[in-house]
Amino acid sequence: MRFRASTIWLGLVLGTVSVHAQSLNVFAAASLKESVSEIARSFERQHPTCKVNLNFGGSQLLVAQIRQGAPVDVLLTAGAESLRSLRYDRSSQRIFATNHLAIVVPIGLGKVRSLRDLSSGIRLIVADRHVPVGRYAEEMLAKAKSEYGQSWANSVNSAIVSREQDVRAVLAKVSLKEADAGIVYVTDYLTAKNKVRLIPIPERFAVTAMYPVVRFGGSSNSTLARAFTDFLFQPAARQALMKHGFGSPVPVKGNVRQPSQSKKHT
Amino acid sequence: MSRIVGRWWWWLLAGLPLLAFLAIPVVALILKSVGNRIATSSEFNDAIRLSFETSLASIVVTVVFGTPLAFAIARYQFPFRKAVNVLFDLPIVFPPAAAGIALLLAFGREGLIPTSFGATSIAVVMAQCFVSSPFYLRAAINAFSATDTGIEECAALEGARPLEVFAKVVMPQCSSQLASGAVTSWARALGEFGATILFAGNLAGRTQTMPLAIYIGWENDLDQAITLSAIMLGIAFLAILVVRAFGKQ
């Protein structure tokens, strides 16, 4: 109810302010900041009457904002699990990008050289469990636990000094050398190459982050929303995503295999 | 008198939008929290315990070091006195998030004075002290400036030593103002968020105070955030009542 009321309000406001220009509200996960900003700019070039309003944040924060009635047309999160509590156009759900985890360490601090080193009395910063990257990190650590053992897992847990509200906060604190290591996405590492070093995670523990895009049925400019989501799969957007380190999408419609479900199968 | 400046309800009516704007969120929070389930997760309990421990620690630090500092500013002239005085007002207008960055740059591991306090409960106390101590300092400076120096001179003539004059003559005159300043400062410390999340980070049981738990938690568990917010509202009301009570003495 509140959602509808606020959409109408926004519609009224935008309707009176700008008769010709249309605007599209796009909410995107923090890790997409650079790539989606670029994509939005080239989308605006293709649709000169359209203004794309961008809102970046932890996926769980965006979802909470939407549940409290924030007007949104398109949502791009770092994982399908975040979407569970939302009502949206299910048929619109598509994976448009993939990403991988990475351990980053500040340049000049050589305490951590491998995943295994995370245990030895270091300061580790991760994202909160409610944030997709925090959840992916826990999955990865659980996989590693099966090989490195329970005591290693315990000492990793005790090494965690903070659980941040989004992936960029983790990156920022590692860049400031407040931690000896942080778990982020490979794409985040690429934005801070001059400040942090990448420690690869062994292939056998890898967790793939699947980024879904969804549209909201109630939005007044659904044509534009559709155009934007389609645009994500066109060469200009693919290039932007690739340039920033994102992997290719798996064009699956509807229910997407969620990382947490994969655990149950094994 | 009242007819000269108009009737009371003219004025109240003119200010009604602001009054309603301030009152409605408080009412909404109370309505929502009544009948809300009382969450008993360990995170929730940790946040409350940590909030009280750290805010009490920060008020102790503030009073111990703030009292002599305020006395120096209030009673003496010395180099840079004005600059120091301005410094005390800075955290009041400074955005707490900016304070958090400043603390990281000052006391982070690569800071001006490198420490390993970041991401510990000590960092929480530091963040709280930074933003809340000026409230105590301001109250203490005002109190010390307003005391009757004549009585102090008499006491000194009677042979009282300096610390005795301070403890037995100055302090009794200022105690209620100091106490109300300390309560204001404590309430501000309890509500500290921006500097804490940046400088101390967020870890349940170690650095996650109530405001952080509210912020991190509302996205996932709105009920718990509402309950915590209602508790903070109750504390804020109590703090105001206590400050008012001291003010009347």
Side-chain angles (χ1 to χ4, degrees):
Chain A
M1 281 304 270
R2 260 194 236 158
F3 171 55
R4 243 180 252 162
S6 59
T7 327
I8 292 165
W9 268 111
L10 188 91
L12 286 175
V13 171
L14 292 177
T16 50
V17 170
S18 49
V19 184
H20 300 291
Q22 284 175 291
S23 86
L24 191 69
N25 293 322
V26 176
F27 286 19
S31 47
L32 292 165
K33 191 153 203 318
E34 291 77 14
S35 48
V36 168
S37 299
E38 263 182 53
I39 291 169
R41 275 197 298 275
S42 44
F43 182 77
E44 283 173 342
R45 274 197 296 277
Q46 263 196 20
H47 300 75
T49 56
C50 171
K51 167 99 184 62
V52 179
N53 302 317
L54 293 170
N55 175 21
F56 293 103
S59 297
Q60 82 299 343
L61 173 67
L62 301 175
V63 166
Q65 286 172 347
I66 293 167
R67 286 179 62 187
Q68 295 301 312
V72 59
D73 299 308
V74 179
L75 170 67
L76 305 97
T77 67
E81 205 161 313
S82 315
L83 302 172
R84 275 192 309 201
S85 61
L86 281 182
R87 267 191 288 164
Y88 57 95
D89 178 3
R90 301 264 162 193
S91 66
S92 71
Q93 182 169 336
R94 279 194 281 175
I95 298 294
F96 71 95
T98 62
N99 207 347
H100 286 94
L101 292 181
I103 297 169
V104 284
V105 299
I107 285 175
L109 281 185
K111 276 192 184 172
V112 177
R113 294 207 171 77
S114 70
L115 174 62
R116 206 167 195 147
D117 289 344
L118 287 188
S119 62
S120 43
I122 58 132
R123 288 160 66 115
L124 174 65
I125 294 189
V126 294
D128 194 72
R129 291 186 191 90
H130 308 318
V131 190
V133 68
R135 207 161 51 230
Y136 292 132
E138 298 234 309
E139 271 180 54
M140 184 271 288
L141 292 172
K143 281 187 183 181
K145 184 176 96 175
S146 61
E147 190 178 314
Y148 296 159
Q150 181 68 48
S151 65
W152 174 81
N154 289 347
S155 64
V156 172
N157 231 352
S158 65
I160 294 173
V161 294
S162 183
R163 297 181 185 272
E164 300 290 328
Q165 74 273 28
D166 67 46
V167 67
R168 289 301 161 92
V170 178
L171 185 70
K173 287 206 173 164
V174 176
S175 305
L176 273 171
K177 302 193 181 180
E178 278 306 301
D180 300 305
I183 301 179
V184 297
Y185 293 119
V186 172
T187 53
D188 299 301
Y189 156 70
L190 293 173
T191 67
K193 265 171 145 174
N194 55 338
K195 286 177 181 148
V196 295
R197 218 152 42 79
L198 179 102
I199 307 287
I201 293 166
E203 194 63 42
R204 58 191 185 282
F205 307 138
V207 173
T208 304
M210 304 267 191
Y211 284 58
V213 56
V214 297
R215 289 191 300 270
F216 287 81
S219 72
S220 51
N221 36 8
S222 55
T223 323
L224 207 55
R226 186 178 292 272
F228 186 85
T229 47
D230 288 344
F231 188 75
L232 286 174
F233 295 88
Q234 282 162 20
R238 304 304 332 155
Q239 256 170 22
L241 285 165
M242 253 167 60
K243 188 178 96 190
H244 291 287
F246 287 94
S248 261
V250 191
V252 191
K253 283 200 172 187
N255 234 355
V256 172
R257 194 185 71 103
Q258 286 170 12
S260 67
Q261 287 174 339
S262 70
K263 230 188 298 178
K264 287 171 203 155
H265 294 306
T266 51
Chain B
M1 186 60 190
S2 67
R3 259 174 290 146
I4 298 169
V5 289
R7 296 186 190 283
W8 64 270
W9 53 266
W10 293 4
W11 296 99
L12 203 62
L13 216 58
L16 195 63
L18 183 60
L19 177 64
F21 176 69
L22 293 175
I24 290 169
V26 175
V27 172
L29 190 56
I30 293 169
L31 287 180
K32 273 277 186 185
S33 61
V34 170
N36 200 3
R37 62 169 181 81
I38 303 292
T40 48
S41 70
S42 68
E43 261 182 38
F44 176 90
N45 295 333
D46 278 346
I48 295 175
R49 176 187 55 77
L50 188 73
S51 263
F52 278 94
E53 285 174 5
T54 53
S55 61
L56 289 174
S58 68
I59 198 59
V60 167
V61 172
T62 298
V63 169
V64 166
F65 296 105
T67 309
L69 198 56
F71 194 69
I73 297 286
R75 291 299 184 81
Y76 301 95
Q77 287 296 334
F78 50 86
F80 304 114
R81 180 181 166 277
K82 277 217 170 107
V84 172
N85 208 354
V86 168
L87 189 69
F88 293 165
D89 286 333
L90 200 61
I92 294 175
V93 289
F94 206 42
I101 296 284
L103 284 169
L104 271 177
L105 297 180
F107 305 111
R109 292 210 303 182
E110 293 286 307
L112 212 55
I113 300 170
T115 71
S116 298
F117 291 144
T120 64
S121 303
I122 295 172
V124 178
V125 175
M126 288 166 78
Q128 288 174 345
C129 269
F130 190 83
V131 298
S132 72
S133 58
F135 292 89
Y136 176 76
L137 285 168
R138 198 44 62 203
I141 289 170
N142 290 340
F144 290 140
S145 310
T147 48
D148 187 346
T149 47
I151 308 176
E152 293 164 29
E153 278 164 26
C154 289
L157 282 174
E158 296 289 328
R161 282 170 288 130
L163 275 181
E164 252 180 321
V165 177
F166 181 77
K168 293 187 176 158
V169 180
V170 180
M171 282 304 271
Q173 293 182 66
C174 301
S175 57
S176 68
Q177 272 175 284
L178 294 185
S180 87
V183 172
T184 312
S185 177
W186 169 74
R188 177 68 191 83
L190 199 65
E192 211 308 300
F193 170 73
T196 310
I197 198 161
L198 275 161
F199 182 51
N202 170 57
L203 192 69
R206 202 176 334 164
T207 59
Q208 191 184 69
T209 55
M210 285 162 75
L212 268 67
I214 289 170
Y215 179 73
I216 298 283
W218 82 273
E219 300 159 350
N220 202 51
D221 186 351
L222 192 59
D223 284 344
Q224 178 169 309
I226 290 170
T227 307
L228 279 173
S229 303
I231 293 172
M232 299 225 55
L233 182 70
I235 294 167
F237 264 120
L238 270 179
I240 293 169
L241 289 180
V242 170
V243 170
R244 285 280 166 85
F246 280 125
K248 275 184 191 141
Q249 279 183 10

